[in-house]
Amino acid sequence: MSQSFYPPQRTLMGPGPSDVPARVLGALARPTLGHLDPLFVGLMDDIKALLQYAFRTDNALTLPVSAPGSAGMEACFVNLVSPGDKVIVCRNGVFGGRMQENVERCGATAVMVEDDWGQPVSIDKVAEAFAEHPDASLLAFVHAETSTGVRSDAAALCALAREHGALSIVDTVTSLGGIELDVDGWGADAVYSGTQKCLSCVPGISPVTFSPRAVERINGREHKVQSWFLDMQLVMGYWGANTKRAYHHTAPVNAMYALHESLVMLQEEGLEAAWARHARNHAALVAGLEAMGLSMAVAEAHRLPQLNAVNIPEGVDDAAVRSALLNEFDLEIGAGLGALAGKTWRVGLMGHSSRERNLVSCLTALESVLGSQGAAIRTGAALPAAKAVLAG
Ligand SMILES: *Cc1c(COP(=O)(O)O)cnc(C)c1O
């Protein structure tokens, strides 16, 4: 006989999911409503308005896709890319590679702009790509590369796309709620995100927003969208404004309560205050790590406050450290990916995980585990350094 599953209370400081606050878990456990119940439809409208606030947009087509961030990514590509299109795709980490896959599976050509992992997307290279491929109809890039901890200049990249008459697809899965994100200010056209990073909601939902220009392109499509489930024209029959809400799929009703609660919490804190909290805790973590003798993998100007790539010191067993953190301290941090595997750790300070208690746990646990591994670190210096930053 199988038995009920009771997970331990981990501290989640990896690349997502982040710690889910009790308020959000509580919302998840409220009574399930029918997915066309007028009360639920009212909640859907409020979720859309809250997402407009979080994305900083007036886009009418703003909604949560009932599937994880990867589905939001796919929704943007399948609706905007048609067979034969040319799409400029920026790759400076794992997720740009997935964008290329999406483009090619839509029967289009991906023109790749490559930057080293750990570097931001080069604006000059993208400008050159547009000069060489004036027929490119889209530019796709990742704002916050979770695989490397690097932020790219979304405002400049969206402006470049507009200058060349192309639409932009922007991955903001790790940005939303953590760093400045301004969909209307940037003039971004198709933007997707996730719930389990800086919103600190449960995984499995993907907020998306499409500009009026993107909607125009979707409405003018000659080819049917290759995905039935993600076809925005069909999804709008369920989520759209001024429509008689019709069955398209059964929304994950309770997960939507959780998303609503996490967005209410973001609104209560205030977007700018949430960004400032992420920046402050990041500065404190870096001060603590550096006081311990560790170094950061990304240049200061391009660091993401919510995802901290830390160089693994010489001679330290990466996997052993991470399993000791998990087994002895119930603390999860992320491993390096791809080119950075074995070279970096990824310490997430996302959403509810970006708080003083977690900073203290992480620095204390890391100091203890590295010490018992015989790593050459300075003990006793990390916490005072971090606290000095928090004290301002
Ligand atoms: C996590 C992440 C995704 C994928 O989201 P899932 O919810 O895991 O499907 C996409 N892009 C970036 C930048 C991410 O960090």
Side-chain angles (χ1 to χ4, degrees):
M1 271 277 272
S2 291
Q3 288 176 351
S4 302
F5 178 64
Y6 293 99
Q9 185 72 57
R10 305 274 206 221
T11 299
L12 299 178
M13 299 182 72
S18 54
D19 287 344
V20 181
R23 248 180 93 171
V24 173
L25 290 175
L28 196 64
R30 288 174 197 154
T32 303
L33 288 173
H35 70 288
L36 291 171
D37 185 310
L39 288 176
F40 184 66
V41 169
L43 182 79
M44 290 163 76
D45 286 336
D46 204 32
I47 289 173
K48 290 198 291 184
L50 286 162
L51 286 177
Q52 287 174 323
Y53 166 74
F55 274 129
R56 286 208 158 158
T57 184
D58 293 329
N59 290 342
L61 185 46
T62 301
L63 56 88
V65 172
S66 302
S70 305
M73 174 188 276
E74 194 144 342
C76 291
F77 284 92
V78 296
N79 282 279
L80 288 178
V81 181
S82 291
D85 281 357
K86 204 182 251 189
V87 181
I88 297 176
V89 174
C90 307
R91 175 164 57 189
N92 62 336
V94 165
F95 293 100
R98 292 192 179 181
M99 289 178 151
Q100 176 184 21
E101 271 290 322
N102 271 275
V103 168
E104 290 172 354
R105 284 169 193 240
C106 291
T109 304
V111 173
M112 300 304 292
V113 171
E114 307 275 358
D115 281 290
D116 287 342
W117 289 38
Q119 294 296 323
V121 172
S122 154
I123 310 293
D124 291 344
K125 286 187 195 169
V126 173
E128 279 166 30
F130 270 118
E132 267 179 53
H133 303 277
D135 53 337
S137 59
L138 277 163
L139 169 69
F141 67 92
V142 179
H143 178 220
E145 223 339 318
T146 323
S147 63
T148 61
V150 166
R151 178 198 326 227
S152 288
D153 187 344
L157 289 165
C158 290
L160 252 183
R162 297 210 123 192
E163 233 173 77
H164 291 87
L167 301 186
S168 49
I169 294 181
V170 189
D171 180 320
T172 66
V173 175
T174 283
S175 339
L176 187 67
I179 50 173
E180 185 175 359
L181 195 170
D182 189 359
V183 168
D184 286 1
W186 296 344
D189 293 300
V191 180
Y192 60 91
S193 190
T195 46
Q196 78 277 29
K197 311 236 173 162
C198 295
L199 293 183
S200 278
C201 182
V202 290
I205 305 175
S206 178
V208 296
T209 183
F210 292 88
S211 73
R213 293 195 314 160
V215 172
E216 206 176 294
R217 188 171 299 180
I218 293 171
N219 290 337
R221 284 181 68 96
E222 286 171 14
H223 299 84
K224 260 189 180 180
V225 170
Q226 71 188 45
S227 163
W228 177 85
F229 182 65
L230 296 173
D231 183 335
M232 278 301 139
Q233 288 187 317
L234 302 180
V235 172
M236 285 304 284
Y238 179 46
W239 273 97
N242 314 316
T243 51
K244 202 169 139 288
R245 300 294 170 89
Y247 171 61
H248 173 260
H249 65 279
T250 308
V253 170
N254 292 62
M256 290 299 168
Y257 302 163
L259 173 59
H260 181 262
E261 193 72 20
S262 68
L263 290 167
V264 166
M265 288 174 72
L266 179 64
Q267 192 182 47
E268 285 172 2
E269 180 178 17
L271 256 189
E272 287 86 353
W275 299 340
R277 171 171 52 83
H278 281 85
R280 191 167 59 245
N281 288 330
H282 159 73
L285 179 75
V286 172
L289 293 170
E290 289 181 343
M292 208 188 289
L294 299 174
S295 64
M296 305 301 289
V298 173
E300 194 170 348
H302 311 305
R303 282 177 199 159
L304 289 174
Q306 65 274 53
L307 197 286
N308 299 271
V310 183
N311 291 315
I312 300 176
E314 204 68 32
V316 166
D317 182 342
D318 168 25
V321 168
R322 281 183 293 107
S323 42
L325 290 173
L326 193 65
N327 297 327
E328 292 165 30
F329 295 88
D330 273 314
L331 172 69
E332 177 178 280
I333 66 167
L337 279 184
L340 300 175
K343 298 201 174 98
T344 62
W345 289 311
R346 292 180 299 151
V347 181
L349 285 172
M350 297 180 176
H352 188 55
S353 289
S354 177
R355 62 196 203 276
E356 184 171 346
R357 175 194 171 283
N358 282 27
L359 272 175
V360 170
S361 310
C362 177
L363 290 170
T364 308
L366 205 53
E367 189 171 300
S368 159
V369 169
L370 285 174
S372 58
Q373 281 253 332
I377 52 156
R378 213 141 56 90
T379 52
L383 277 189
K387 292 203 167 174
V389 170
L390 292 180

mmCIF file of all heavy atoms in Angstrom, residues 306-330:
data_model
loop_
_atom_site.group_PDB
_atom_site.id
_atom_site.type_symbol
_atom_site.label_atom_id
_atom_site.label_comp_id
_atom_site.label_asym_id
_atom_site.label_seq_id
_atom_site.Cartn_x
_atom_site.Cartn_y
_atom_site.Cartn_z
ATOM 1 N N GLN A 306 18.124 38.050 -8.469
ATOM 2 C CA GLN A 306 17.340 36.872 -8.048
ATOM 3 C C GLN A 306 18.029 35.553 -8.371
ATOM 4 O O GLN A 306 17.562 34.511 -7.956
ATOM 5 C CB GLN A 306 15.937 36.924 -8.666
ATOM 6 C CG GLN A 306 15.860 36.817 -10.190
ATOM 7 C CD GLN A 306 16.022 38.155 -10.875
ATOM 8 O OE1 GLN A 306 16.987 38.871 -10.618
ATOM 9 N NE2 GLN A 306 15.116 38.502 -11.763
ATOM 10 N N LEU A 307 19.135 35.606 -9.134
ATOM 11 C CA LEU A 307 19.832 34.349 -9.469
ATOM 12 C C LEU A 307 21.324 34.619 -9.468
ATOM 13 O O LEU A 307 21.852 35.287 -10.366
ATOM 14 C CB LEU A 307 19.358 33.830 -10.840
ATOM 15 C CG LEU A 307 19.644 32.365 -11.198
ATOM 16 C CD1 LEU A 307 21.111 32.118 -11.537
ATOM 17 C CD2 LEU A 307 19.204 31.410 -10.092
ATOM 18 N N ASN A 308 21.981 34.110 -8.424
ATOM 19 C CA ASN A 308 23.379 34.452 -8.183
ATOM 20 C C ASN A 308 24.294 33.300 -8.567
ATOM 21 O O ASN A 308 24.279 32.248 -7.925
ATOM 22 C CB ASN A 308 23.557 34.792 -6.695
ATOM 23 C CG ASN A 308 22.709 35.995 -6.295
ATOM 24 O OD1 ASN A 308 23.162 37.133 -6.388
ATOM 25 N ND2 ASN A 308 21.464 35.752 -5.884
ATOM 26 N N ALA A 309 25.073 33.486 -9.628
ATOM 27 C CA ALA A 309 26.015 32.455 -10.056
ATOM 28 C C ALA A 309 27.312 32.653 -9.284
ATOM 29 O O ALA A 309 27.938 33.713 -9.355
ATOM 30 C CB ALA A 309 26.259 32.546 -11.553
ATOM 31 N N VAL A 310 27.702 31.619 -8.536
ATOM 32 C CA VAL A 310 28.870 31.686 -7.654
ATOM 33 C C VAL A 310 29.916 30.704 -8.165
ATOM 34 O O VAL A 310 29.584 29.556 -8.483
ATOM 35 C CB VAL A 310 28.462 31.274 -6.213
ATOM 36 C CG1 VAL A 310 29.647 31.419 -5.256
ATOM 37 C CG2 VAL A 310 27.271 32.098 -5.736
ATOM 38 N N ASN A 311 31.153 31.134 -8.263
ATOM 39 C CA ASN A 311 32.228 30.226 -8.690
ATOM 40 C C ASN A 311 32.487 29.180 -7.611
ATOM 41 O O ASN A 311 32.614 29.512 -6.434
ATOM 42 C CB ASN A 311 33.516 31.010 -8.965
ATOM 43 C CG ASN A 311 33.386 31.893 -10.200
ATOM 44 O OD1 ASN A 311 32.888 31.459 -11.239
ATOM 45 N ND2 ASN A 311 33.795 33.146 -10.077
ATOM 46 N N ILE A 312 32.556 27.921 -8.028
ATOM 47 C CA ILE A 312 32.872 26.845 -7.090
ATOM 48 C C ILE A 312 34.384 26.867 -6.855
ATOM 49 O O ILE A 312 35.161 26.833 -7.807
ATOM 50 C CB ILE A 312 32.443 25.477 -7.652
ATOM 51 C CG1 ILE A 312 30.922 25.479 -7.903
ATOM 52 C CG2 ILE A 312 32.847 24.343 -6.715
ATOM 53 C CD1 ILE A 312 30.387 24.214 -8.543
ATOM 54 N N PRO A 313 34.795 26.976 -5.562
ATOM 55 C CA PRO A 313 36.235 27.077 -5.313
ATOM 56 C C PRO A 313 36.967 25.808 -5.770
ATOM 57 O O PRO A 313 36.392 24.712 -5.765
ATOM 58 C CB PRO A 313 36.345 27.232 -3.797
ATOM 59 C CG PRO A 313 34.969 27.359 -3.273
ATOM 60 C CD PRO A 313 33.999 26.990 -4.333
ATOM 61 N N GLU A 314 38.175 26.012 -6.166
ATOM 62 C CA GLU A 314 39.096 24.948 -6.589
ATOM 63 C C GLU A 314 39.084 23.787 -5.587
ATOM 64 O O GLU A 314 39.156 24.005 -4.384
ATOM 65 C CB GLU A 314 40.510 25.587 -6.624
ATOM 66 C CG GLU A 314 41.543 24.943 -7.508
ATOM 67 C CD GLU A 314 41.239 25.074 -8.995
ATOM 68 O OE1 GLU A 314 40.633 26.094 -9.418
ATOM 69 O OE2 GLU A 314 41.608 24.154 -9.708
ATOM 70 N N GLY A 315 38.996 22.554 -6.081
ATOM 71 C CA GLY A 315 39.132 21.382 -5.215
ATOM 72 C C GLY A 315 37.880 21.002 -4.431
ATOM 73 O O GLY A 315 37.890 20.027 -3.692
ATOM 74 N N VAL A 316 36.797 21.784 -4.587
ATOM 75 C CA VAL A 316 35.576 21.477 -3.838
ATOM 76 C C VAL A 316 34.681 20.570 -4.679
ATOM 77 O O VAL A 316 34.546 20.758 -5.881
ATOM 78 C CB VAL A 316 34.841 22.787 -3.462
ATOM 79 C CG1 VAL A 316 33.424 22.499 -3.000
ATOM 80 C CG2 VAL A 316 35.616 23.535 -2.393
ATOM 81 N N ASP A 317 34.100 19.564 -4.041
ATOM 82 C CA ASP A 317 33.231 18.610 -4.728
ATOM 83 C C ASP A 317 31.808 19.183 -4.826
ATOM 84 O O ASP A 317 31.055 19.187 -3.855
ATOM 85 C CB ASP A 317 33.242 17.282 -3.950
ATOM 86 C CG ASP A 317 32.409 16.211 -4.631
ATOM 87 O OD1 ASP A 317 31.566 16.540 -5.491
ATOM 88 O OD2 ASP A 317 32.602 15.028 -4.286
ATOM 89 N N ASP A 318 31.498 19.654 -6.020
ATOM 90 C CA ASP A 318 30.218 20.323 -6.284
ATOM 91 C C ASP A 318 29.023 19.527 -5.764
ATOM 92 O O ASP A 318 28.230 20.005 -4.937
ATOM 93 C CB ASP A 318 30.124 20.554 -7.810
ATOM 94 C CG ASP A 318 28.741 20.965 -8.286
ATOM 95 O OD1 ASP A 318 27.994 21.529 -7.471
ATOM 96 O OD2 ASP A 318 28.438 20.746 -9.473
ATOM 97 N N ALA A 319 28.899 18.284 -6.231
ATOM 98 C CA ALA A 319 27.721 17.473 -5.900
ATOM 99 C C ALA A 319 27.658 17.177 -4.404
ATOM 100 O O ALA A 319 26.569 17.185 -3.807
ATOM 101 C CB ALA A 319 27.735 16.183 -6.706
ATOM 102 N N ALA A 320 28.826 16.939 -3.790
ATOM 103 C CA ALA A 320 28.847 16.622 -2.351
ATOM 104 C C ALA A 320 28.360 17.818 -1.534
ATOM 105 O O ALA A 320 27.633 17.658 -0.550
ATOM 106 C CB ALA A 320 30.259 16.229 -1.923
ATOM 107 N N VAL A 321 28.744 19.021 -1.951
ATOM 108 C CA VAL A 321 28.303 20.219 -1.227
ATOM 109 C C VAL A 321 26.791 20.374 -1.348
ATOM 110 O O VAL A 321 26.077 20.576 -0.355
ATOM 111 C CB VAL A 321 29.017 21.483 -1.760
ATOM 112 C CG1 VAL A 321 28.357 22.748 -1.225
ATOM 113 C CG2 VAL A 321 30.494 21.454 -1.392
ATOM 114 N N ARG A 322 26.291 20.202 -2.566
ATOM 115 C CA ARG A 322 24.850 20.391 -2.733
ATOM 116 C C ARG A 322 24.048 19.327 -1.990
ATOM 117 O O ARG A 322 23.012 19.613 -1.416
ATOM 118 C CB ARG A 322 24.483 20.451 -4.218
ATOM 119 C CG ARG A 322 24.780 21.823 -4.830
ATOM 120 C CD ARG A 322 24.375 21.951 -6.280
ATOM 121 N NE ARG A 322 25.172 21.090 -7.131
ATOM 122 C CZ ARG A 322 24.727 19.972 -7.697
ATOM 123 N NH1 ARG A 322 23.481 19.591 -7.510
ATOM 124 N NH2 ARG A 322 25.531 19.246 -8.443
ATOM 125 N N SER A 323 24.545 18.089 -1.973
ATOM 126 C CA SER A 323 23.739 17.103 -1.233
ATOM 127 C C SER A 323 23.862 17.302 0.271
ATOM 128 O O SER A 323 22.896 17.076 0.989
ATOM 129 C CB SER A 323 23.995 15.654 -1.668
ATOM 130 O OG SER A 323 25.342 15.448 -1.858
ATOM 131 N N ALA A 324 25.010 17.775 0.759
ATOM 132 C CA ALA A 324 25.109 18.064 2.199
ATOM 133 C C ALA A 324 24.164 19.209 2.578
ATOM 134 O O ALA A 324 23.497 19.167 3.619
ATOM 135 C CB ALA A 324 26.547 18.417 2.572
ATOM 136 N N LEU A 325 24.078 20.223 1.720
ATOM 137 C CA LEU A 325 23.167 21.340 2.001
ATOM 138 C C LEU A 325 21.725 20.826 2.085
ATOM 139 O O LEU A 325 20.948 21.204 2.969
ATOM 140 C CB LEU A 325 23.276 22.420 0.921
ATOM 141 C CG LEU A 325 24.581 23.220 0.893
ATOM 142 C CD1 LEU A 325 24.618 24.145 -0.333
ATOM 143 C CD2 LEU A 325 24.744 24.060 2.175
ATOM 144 N N LEU A 326 21.388 19.929 1.156
ATOM 145 C CA LEU A 326 20.017 19.409 1.105
ATOM 146 C C LEU A 326 19.741 18.475 2.284
ATOM 147 O O LEU A 326 18.711 18.594 2.955
ATOM 148 C CB LEU A 326 19.800 18.680 -0.225
ATOM 149 C CG LEU A 326 18.355 18.333 -0.579
ATOM 150 C CD1 LEU A 326 17.514 19.589 -0.788
ATOM 151 C CD2 LEU A 326 18.304 17.466 -1.848
ATOM 152 N N ASN A 327 20.653 17.554 2.536
ATOM 153 C CA ASN A 327 20.372 16.526 3.542
ATOM 154 C C ASN A 327 20.573 17.012 4.971
ATOM 155 O O ASN A 327 19.862 16.598 5.871
ATOM 156 C CB ASN A 327 21.252 15.289 3.280
ATOM 157 C CG ASN A 327 20.915 14.665 1.941
ATOM 158 O OD1 ASN A 327 19.753 14.705 1.517
ATOM 159 N ND2 ASN A 327 21.906 14.117 1.252
ATOM 160 N N GLU A 328 21.553 17.904 5.183
ATOM 161 C CA GLU A 328 21.818 18.341 6.552
ATOM 162 C C GLU A 328 21.091 19.636 6.892
ATOM 163 O O GLU A 328 20.806 19.906 8.050
ATOM 164 C CB GLU A 328 23.326 18.549 6.762
ATOM 165 C CG GLU A 328 24.116 17.248 6.711
ATOM 166 C CD GLU A 328 25.610 17.500 6.563
ATOM 167 O OE1 GLU A 328 26.094 18.546 7.045
ATOM 168 O OE2 GLU A 328 26.291 16.641 5.944
ATOM 169 N N PHE A 329 20.826 20.457 5.862
ATOM 170 C CA PHE A 329 20.238 21.774 6.149
ATOM 171 C C PHE A 329 18.898 22.008 5.446
ATOM 172 O O PHE A 329 18.340 23.092 5.537
ATOM 173 C CB PHE A 329 21.224 22.890 5.765
ATOM 174 C CG PHE A 329 22.478 22.906 6.591
ATOM 175 C CD1 PHE A 329 23.588 22.158 6.228
ATOM 176 C CD2 PHE A 329 22.533 23.652 7.763
ATOM 177 C CE1 PHE A 329 24.743 22.155 6.998
ATOM 178 C CE2 PHE A 329 23.683 23.666 8.545
ATOM 179 C CZ PHE A 329 24.796 22.915 8.163
ATOM 180 N N ASP A 330 18.394 20.994 4.744
ATOM 181 C CA ASP A 330 17.134 21.154 3.998
ATOM 182 C C ASP A 330 17.185 22.371 3.076
ATOM 183 O O ASP A 330 16.182 23.061 2.876
ATOM 184 C CB ASP A 330 15.928 21.271 4.950
ATOM 185 C CG ASP A 330 15.376 19.906 5.308
ATOM 186 O OD1 ASP A 330 15.213 19.076 4.393
ATOM 187 O OD2 ASP A 330 15.109 19.662 6.512
#
